[in-house]
Amino acid sequence: LNEENVASNELTVFPNPTSDIVRVEMTDFDPETPYVLSVSNIAGQVLERVTMTSADAVIDLSSYNAGVYMLKAENGEEVRVVKVIKTE
């Protein structure tokens, strides 16, 4: 099961791969149940948390080392995860 394909209709992360900023868009965003976005490294350590207050958000990854990161969006009811590749 590919998590990126499952969530692709509702959660879009671009550009991916990126060297600095990623934009996160959610087509079914509901302000009544806002999502918390978290960026984790491959070891599962949470590096950053952002609350989505609208259907799109911007996350700056420029200070992170090149590698694979997991972007998780959760609202208490559902969780969506997208792998993000950070380049130099």
Side-chain angles (χ1 to χ4, degrees):
L1 184 63
N2 185 331
E3 292 173 351
E4 291 167 290
N5 289 341
V6 169
S8 64
N9 290 340
E10 300 167 344
L11 180 68
T12 306
V13 178
F14 63 94
N16 189 10
T18 185
S19 60
D20 51 19
I21 291 174
V22 291
R23 184 177 196 96
V24 181
E25 291 184 351
M26 190 167 296
T27 57
D28 63 344
F29 179 79
D30 179 1
E32 297 294 316
T33 55
Y35 279 81
V36 174
L37 301 176
S38 59
V39 177
S40 303
N41 60 20
I42 202 72
Q45 181 180 28
V46 176
L47 306 173
E48 183 173 350
R49 276 198 173 87
V50 176
T51 300
M52 284 187 81
T53 56
S54 65
D56 63 343
V58 173
I59 297 180
D60 185 357
L61 302 177
S62 62
S63 64
Y64 299 133
N65 294 328
V68 176
Y69 295 89
M70 304 308 285
L71 179 81
K72 179 165 55 171
E74 55 189 323
N75 69 354
E77 296 175 13
E78 55 186 349
V79 177
R80 303 168 190 180
V81 180
V82 176
K83 185 181 347 178
V84 177
I85 298 170
K86 164 70 168 63
T87 59
E88 287 297 333

